[in-house]
Amino acid sequence: MVKFTNGDSVEVTTKDKTFSGIYIESNKKDVVTIKLSSGYNIGVNKKEVKKIKLVKKNKKEKTVKVLNVNKGLKKISILHTGGTVASTVDYKTGAVSPRFDPEEIINMFPELNEIATINSRLIGNIWSQDIRFVHFNILAREIKKEIESGAKGIIITHGTDFLHYTSAALSFALKNLPVPVLLVGSQRSSDRGSSDAGMNLINAVYFAVNSEMCDVGICMHNNMNDDYCAILPGLKTRKMHTSRRDAFKTINTKPWALVDYRKGEIKYVDKSFNKKVNGKLELNLFNEKLKIGLLKSTINMDAKQFLFFKNYDGLVIEASGIGNLPTSVLDRYTKDHKKIFNALKILTKKTVVVLAAQTIFGRLNMNVYSNQREMQEIGVLGHLNDMTPETTFVKLSWLLSNYKKDAKDLLFENLKGEINERLMSDEFLDESF
Ligand code: GLU
């Protein structure tokens, strides 16, 4: 059998179809990976392959190395943490599993080496739902190490489900950040024809090389097409769809920029990101032992649900509307709501209780209804909160880790761009970007 090497033009024929594209070397013994002319990579199970025809030999016949020192190009470090972006389809079971080696992803997207000198390193291989505070600290330390070794930008590949927690955590943990840090995920694994991994990753590297932004952002598809990505603020973005490639949307703000590496274009929408500051990069890490809860309010609640958190260090509650909880006794059926109010009283004495908007968009205003005023009187925080519940959770955790005494006062001070003082109408599900 002909031995194919990276970059060869090939035709792969299966029982149903013929795929033409560029052969990509892979460590997976049971899969043939090729890059289609659309830019997508596709993995075909070797068992299904009838024939692979060599159309044109790649003249260079060279495998891209993990560290491709391309003189004159900026050094960018890609740190891999796991998630769909770093996983492959297991063709036996059809399930996606986190198997992946960092060299492989660079081989899959050779365009990266035209844009930057890439250093690709695996620092973990976990799903994002398994993340704990300790992982934020590991990641922050690795980022610092890369920057101190000369990286001019950091890209982190990450599972998408809780990617916005990590982007928020790093936004707080990295002080005096001198380079861009971008988190990238994908909704389809990198070896699938429909994967969004390549576009997200290459656009992230392109932006990191060409922007003055020194902040933590997210780079994901901007819409359903495969044309450009959005650079989204790490503290004001949320995964808003289970499966769409443009699942990440800004909440109460606009994307920072749109990027299309193929056209060589960066269009800034809102330059509210942090730029380079004087001062040494410092880490303000998370207390790994903290216990912080996030409770969603519903109808028909009882006091026990609240009291469950009495030994926690902090609690975020997703309140309804502009900041309501079921604390009003209005008829004989709602008598137990007094118990909920009393439970909140106990909680606020023992821990920090802060409300965030269950509606996701908008800002709380706890001065409107009498039940809200009563909550404020017993120390429930949240008035004027426009942070997502997730950013509120991360900020509360970070403040309790670093500024325990002042945590309550700092919660609603805009420290890193997490609070937008003036919300605009085009910041609500605006499709025009
Ligand atoms: N649930 C997994 C995670 O967040 C896979 C989803 C994904 O990466 O898109 O890591």
Side-chain angles (χ1 to χ4, degrees):
M1 193 171 146
V2 190
K3 175 133 180 30
F4 299 101
T5 51
N6 221 30
D8 290 346
S9 295
V10 292
E11 259 177 27
V12 178
T13 307
T14 64
K15 188 163 79 6
D16 319 304
K17 246 180 154 181
T18 296
F19 302 97
S20 303
I22 305 294
Y23 182 85
I24 290 173
E25 284 174 5
S26 163
N27 290 351
K28 275 175 237 80
K29 299 216 164 39
D30 50 346
V31 179
V32 178
T33 308
I34 60 166
K35 181 180 257 324
L36 305 175
S37 58
S38 62
Y40 283 133
N41 292 334
I42 182 165
V44 185
N45 186 352
K46 278 192 181 156
K47 280 191 194 138
E48 286 169 20
V49 174
K50 291 220 148 136
K51 194 171 80 185
I52 309 180
K53 190 173 131 199
L54 180 70
V55 178
K56 197 164 162 238
K57 192 83 195 136
N58 176 26
K59 284 204 192 90
K60 287 188 198 147
E61 284 189 17
K62 203 174 79 186
T63 306
V64 176
K65 290 284 179 297
V66 176
L67 182 63
N68 178 43
V69 183
N70 217 336
K71 273 211 183 112
L73 296 181
K74 276 192 187 170
K75 275 194 199 170
I76 300 290
S77 291
I78 306 181
L79 303 178
H80 303 280
T81 69
T84 299
V85 62
S87 45
T88 53
V89 176
D90 182 329
Y91 287 93
K92 278 188 215 109
T93 61
V96 175
S97 52
R99 288 188 282 128
F100 161 75
D101 123 27
E103 189 166 355
E104 208 167 342
I105 203 156
I106 304 309
N107 283 341
M108 275 184 174
F109 309 113
E111 299 93 323
L112 289 172
N113 294 294
E114 307 293 317
I115 304 171
T117 292
I118 302 289
N119 174 27
S120 175
R121 209 149 62 74
L122 185 74
I123 59 167
N125 207 350
I126 61 169
W127 302 121
S128 67
Q129 63 267 25
D130 296 313
I131 281 182
R132 306 192 62 82
F133 289 150
V134 61
H135 295 110
F136 293 157
N137 294 345
I138 294 171
L139 197 46
R141 287 192 192 101
E142 294 295 341
I143 291 170
K144 185 162 183 273
K145 236 191 255 168
E146 290 300 319
I147 294 172
E148 285 169 355
S149 331
K152 296 292 180 245
I154 308 286
I155 311 295
I156 298 153
T157 64
H158 198 286
T160 58
D161 290 3
F162 287 94
L163 185 144
H164 48 297
Y165 278 80
T166 301
S167 65
L170 293 175
S171 302
F172 289 120
L174 302 166
K175 189 176 170 197
N176 301 331
L177 187 60
V179 303
V181 172
L182 288 169
L183 285 104
V184 170
S186 76
Q187 295 278 61
R188 319 267 188 281
S189 61
S190 301
D191 59 342
R192 291 192 100 112
S194 58
S195 177
D196 42 334
M199 268 272 293
N200 296 344
L201 190 61
I202 302 165
N203 273 322
V205 172
Y206 186 82
F207 185 82
V209 163
N210 292 296
S211 176
E212 56 180 344
M213 178 267 241
C214 291
D215 210 328
V216 180
I218 294 169
C219 179
M220 292 291 287
H221 271 52
N222 187 59
N223 53 36
M224 298 273 272
N225 304 334
D226 216 25
D227 41 15
Y228 55 93
C229 286
I231 304 295
L232 306 155
L235 284 159
K236 296 197 83 64
T237 295
R238 194 172 187 275
K239 185 175 182 181
M240 299 299 281
H241 199 279
T242 53
S243 55
R244 277 171 64 132
R245 297 191 287 178
D246 59 345
F248 282 81
K249 297 291 176 208
T250 49
I251 310 295
N252 293 337
T253 193
K254 296 184 183 76
W256 283 337
L258 304 173
V259 201
D260 183 343
Y261 79 93
R262 287 191 200 127
K263 288 194 188 147
E265 261 176 32
I266 296 179
K267 189 179 145 208
Y268 286 98
V269 180
D270 178 351
K271 281 191 161 187
S272 58
F273 46 72
N274 291 308
K275 297 194 193 124
K276 198 165 177 137
V277 288
N278 289 328
K280 235 174 138 245
L281 173 64
E282 275 174 44
L283 301 183
N284 292 316
L285 300 176
F286 284 76
N287 173 351
E288 293 162 16
K289 293 206 177 94
L290 279 184
K291 276 170 44 177
I292 310 294
L294 174 47
L295 174 68
K296 190 181 188 94
S297 64
T298 67
I299 55 159
N300 224 44
M301 291 189 95
D302 65 60
K304 273 196 204 138
Q305 287 172 277
F306 291 83
L307 289 174
F308 174 82
F309 294 97
K310 68 176 186 295
N311 294 322
Y312 274 54
D313 299 288
L315 174 64
V316 178
I317 307 177
E318 277 193 13
S320 62
I322 52 174
N324 297 299
L325 293 179
T327 53
S328 309
V329 178
L330 303 163
D331 55 22
R332 64 194 167 105
Y333 305 110
T334 51
K335 271 197 296 212
D336 275 1
H337 291 183
K338 180 77 191 154
K339 289 188 190 154
I340 293 181
F341 186 77
N342 289 340
L344 285 170
K345 241 189 205 167
I346 294 171
L347 285 179
T348 51
K349 285 202 186 98
K350 299 183 75 147
T351 181
V352 185
V353 181
V354 50
L355 306 190
Q358 191 168 122
T359 57
I360 304 301
F361 283 92
R363 188 193 305 287
L364 301 188
N365 182 349
M366 294 175 68
N367 283 344
V368 180
Y369 301 105
S370 56
N371 63 310
Q372 299 179 306
R373 287 171 183 272
E374 282 160 15
M375 280 198 286
Q376 287 199 74
E377 276 159 26
I378 59 165
V380 174
L381 307 172
H383 180 54
L384 300 182
N385 191 5
D386 87 307
M387 294 178 280
T388 60
E390 294 81 4
T391 294
T392 309
F393 175 97
V394 171
K395 185 174 183 183
L396 177 60
S397 313
W398 180 77
L399 287 174
L400 290 173
S401 302
N402 292 281
Y403 306 94
K404 198 162 188 309
K405 274 203 207 118
D406 302 320
K408 287 184 184 174
D409 295 331
L410 292 173
L411 253 172
F412 296 105
E413 231 176 75
N414 184 20
L415 304 177
K416 293 279 185 129
E418 69 276 19
I419 292 171
N420 184 355
E421 254 120 65
R422 248 183 100 223
L423 304 189
M424 311 300 276
S425 57
D426 59 357
E427 290 162 354
F428 176 56
L429 296 176
D430 193 323
E431 288 282 304
S432 63
F433 299 118

